[in-house]
Structure formats: structure tokens, C-alpha cells
Amino acid sequence: MQETLFCLRVEHLLPYSMSDSNTTDFTNPSTFILLGIPGLEMVHVWISIPFSTVYAIAILGNFVILFIVKMEPSLHGPMYYFLCMLAVTDLVLSTSILPKTLSIFWFNSREIDFSACLTQLYFIHSFLVIESGILVAMALDRFVAICNPLRHSTILTNLMVAKIGLAVMLRGGIIVLPYLLLARRWPYCRTNIIPNTHCEHMAVVKLACADIRVNTYYGLSVVFSVICVDVFLIAMSYTQILRAIFSLPTKDARLKAFGTCGSHLCVILVFYVSALFSSLMHRFGHNVSLHFHVLISSGYLLVPPVLNPIIYGVRTKQIRSRVLRLFAHKGT
């Protein structure tokens, strides 16, 4: 109800020709209209400052991670290969949403092509699933490294790491494909206004004049199956890891072993806590203002890409020392 009232109010503010096109029946809209952050249009320029800052940090941080792993031979191992996959995923996620969001804030460029909208939808959701899968793979790497260190290099070979990465990508691409196929087949005859900064799955299909329960049920099943299965696998891995750590004879050995997992645990908490909060807010936060919904959904996509390289850069000694050497060399 809140979204409908807001859309009607916005249509009166748009030029007559645009308002007229939005109220005319159509089944395949050529474009959608992204409103940005509804209710905060007057401060879009100010909101763009933290958004652009976060994007710049995410781009710089993840590219630094990729550069350091590539240039440092001692980092050519499974843990850092998975970290590179995570960095690439974060780059794709942030780039899928931020350029269009900033164009809305800076240039009032609200139109997005129908196919481009569905492409953005597909990339956002598929790479979220991919990122979850990479976190599971990183937990597997830590499990083998701590619980079976003598066989780590023989179990997680470069070929095995490549196969795991391919499997994670295929899972993300295939499991989200029905989102795209279902959204494309629905007729859209209400409005083409999306009260958001990006084309999120439910925000798009809610505009369809059809029974979209299949989208709702499938979306919920994907969210909870992916989160539940992946969190379960990570929990099982870390249960065994903690048992192995606490069985070590000295306190220093336990601290050193736990330190290698600390950064990964922080990244896991950032990703899954924000994912769960965003999902629950979207499904059950009906009394929450629309602009708060949009800010939460945008933050969920932007916080992990900017925090992940910072967490690994600060907590991982090899990366931290290499970054300090890099900037110290540039300074001299």
C-alpha cells in the first residue's frame, strides 16, 4: 500500500508525457524508472558522497588484494586464490549497482532499459550466491589447513581450487536463472516505476499484473536453502577447526591457529548477518519507511565489498606487510 501511494504521488510530479506512458497498459515495457531513494530525492547529491566513497574504497581495496596476490609468489596458495575469487565477486557486485545509482543521484538518470534491468537483477543475485559459495570454500580450506595440514597441498591442488571455483560459479548462475526467466515472461501493465536504486528481484516482479506467488516461494526457498546449507557447512567446518585448535598443546599455538581463521570469521559475520537482516526486513518490515528499505538493501550489497579487503588487509599478516611495503616503496 505504501509503495502504491508513493508511486501515484510521484507520477503527478513527473512530466505529463511520462506519467501518461506509465498509466497506459503495456505488457513489455521498454524501460523502467528507478526512483533512487524515495522520499529523499532532495538530498540525493549529499547521499551520493558516502555511496561514491564506499565504491571507491571497494574498487581500490579489492584491486590491491588482486595485485598483491599476483605479485607475491608466497601468496600463491588456495587461501589467497579463494580470496581473489572473493575480491572479483565483490568488484562485480559493487559495479552492478553503484554506477547506475550514482547516475540517478548526480544526473537524475532514472531510466533503465528492460533488458538491462533484468541483467542487473541476474548479476546481483547470482553473485550473492557465488559469494556465499566462496565463503564455504574458504572454510573448507581453513579446515584442511588446520585439521590435516600435512595433506593440505595434496588435497587442495590448483586444479581442485579451479574446480571448486567453477562449481561455485555454476551454482550461482543456475540457481538464479529462474529469477530471470520468470521475470521476463510476466506481463507488466500497472506501472514501470521501481521505488529503488537498482533492479532487485521482488521489486521488479511486484510490478507484474500476474500471480507472482511462484517468484515469492522460489525466492524464499533460494534465500533460505543457500543460507541454511552454506551456514551449516561453514559451522561444521569451524566446529572441527575449533576442536583441533583447543587440542593444541600451547597457548601460542592455539592463538596462531585461531588468528589464521579470524579474518574469515569476520567476513562470514558481515555477509550473513547483513543478508539475514536485509531479507527479514524486506519480508516482514511492512511498517518501516520505504526509504529505509532501500538504504538497507543497498547497504547489504555495498558493505561486504568494502569491508572484506579491509578485514583481510588488517588481519592477515602477509597481506598487511606487503601493503605496507608497497606504500612505503611509493613514499620513498
Side-chain angles (χ1 to χ4, degrees):
M1 177 64 72
Q2 184 180 7
E3 294 181 10
T4 304
L5 292 174
F6 182 81
C7 290
L8 291 174
R9 182 173 61 84
V10 169
E11 286 179 1
H12 288 294
L13 300 177
L14 297 174
Y16 173 78
S17 59
M18 185 178 294
S19 177
D20 183 65
S21 66
N22 290 334
T23 57
T24 303
D25 288 347
F26 51 90
T27 56
N28 292 303
S30 59
T31 60
F32 282 122
I33 307 297
L34 293 169
L35 293 182
I37 303 179
L40 299 178
E41 291 87 353
M42 299 300 295
V43 292
H44 270 177
V45 174
W46 294 105
I47 297 174
S48 71
I49 296 175
F51 272 70
S52 56
T53 303
V54 164
Y55 185 46
I57 295 173
I59 294 294
L60 177 62
N62 286 291
F63 269 118
V64 167
I65 294 289
L66 293 171
F67 176 77
I68 288 176
V69 173
K70 176 179 173 57
M71 299 302 294
E72 186 64 45
S74 64
L75 301 182
H76 292 178
M79 174 182 173
Y80 299 101
Y81 291 150
F82 289 132
L83 180 56
C84 287
M85 295 180 194
L86 186 67
V88 172
T89 302
D90 286 338
L91 287 171
V92 174
L93 267 178
S94 55
T95 304
S96 296
I97 176 177
L98 254 300
K100 182 58 183 177
T101 298
L102 292 177
S103 72
I104 295 172
F105 291 164
W106 291 340
F107 311 113
N108 202 31
S109 176
R110 300 171 184 267
E111 292 190 2
I112 183 171
D113 184 77
F114 180 72
S115 297
C117 183
L118 296 187
T119 301
Q120 185 188 55
L121 179 156
Y122 180 76
F123 269 83
I124 289 173
H125 290 281
S126 61
F127 274 88
L128 284 173
V129 177
I130 289 171
E131 178 151 346
S132 182
I134 293 172
L135 293 178
V136 175
M138 296 175 81
L140 171 66
D141 170 69
R142 292 299 85 205
F143 166 73
V144 177
I146 293 176
C147 298
N148 204 347
L150 297 179
R151 298 187 59 199
H152 182 254
S153 59
T154 58
I155 295 175
L156 288 175
T157 61
N158 289 344
L159 180 60
M160 180 57 67
V161 171
K163 288 181 178 179
I164 292 174
L166 180 61
V168 167
M169 287 195 64
L170 288 176
R171 185 189 74 152
I174 292 172
I175 201 172
V176 176
L177 188 59
Y179 283 10
L180 183 65
L181 300 178
L182 288 170
R184 182 175 288 277
R185 69 186 289 263
W186 296 133
Y188 295 89
C189 56
R190 292 197 181 103
T191 179
N192 62 345
I193 295 177
I194 300 176
N196 209 325
T197 59
H198 57 277
C199 293
E200 191 268 339
H201 172 233
M202 289 307 298
V204 172
V205 298
K206 280 180 179 179
L207 304 182
C209 49
D211 187 354
I212 60 167
R213 282 182 294 181
V214 63
N215 293 77
T216 303
Y217 296 149
Y218 184 74
L220 284 172
S221 66
V222 167
V223 169
F224 287 105
S225 63
V226 168
I227 290 180
C228 291
V229 170
D230 290 358
V231 169
F232 174 77
L233 293 174
I234 292 172
M236 289 293 292
S237 297
Y238 271 95
T239 300
Q240 298 301 316
I241 289 171
L242 291 175
R243 288 178 60 185
I245 289 176
F246 287 120
S247 66
L248 293 174
T250 64
K251 181 179 179 181
D252 289 341
R254 290 194 293 269
L255 290 175
K256 183 177 180 181
F258 190 76
T260 63
C261 303
S263 54
H264 185 227
L265 284 172
C266 291
V267 169
I268 288 171
L269 289 174
V270 168
F271 181 78
Y272 287 110
V273 169
S274 59
L276 186 61
F277 184 74
S278 177
S279 179
L280 293 176
M281 180 68 68
H282 184 76
R283 305 290 175 181
F284 305 110
H286 303 298
N287 296 325
V288 178
S289 61
L290 189 56
H291 68 266
F292 189 74
H293 273 288
V294 176
L295 288 171
I296 291 297
S297 64
S298 299
Y300 162 51
L301 297 174
L302 299 179
V303 169
V306 72
L307 286 186
N308 290 349
I310 294 174
I311 292 171
Y312 275 101
V314 171
R315 294 192 59 89
T316 307
K317 180 180 178 181
Q318 294 90 331
I319 295 178
R320 183 174 67 248
S321 61
R322 189 67 179 84
V323 170
L324 292 175
R325 282 162 49 195
L326 176 66
F327 285 98
H329 176 71
K330 287 186 176 182
T332 56

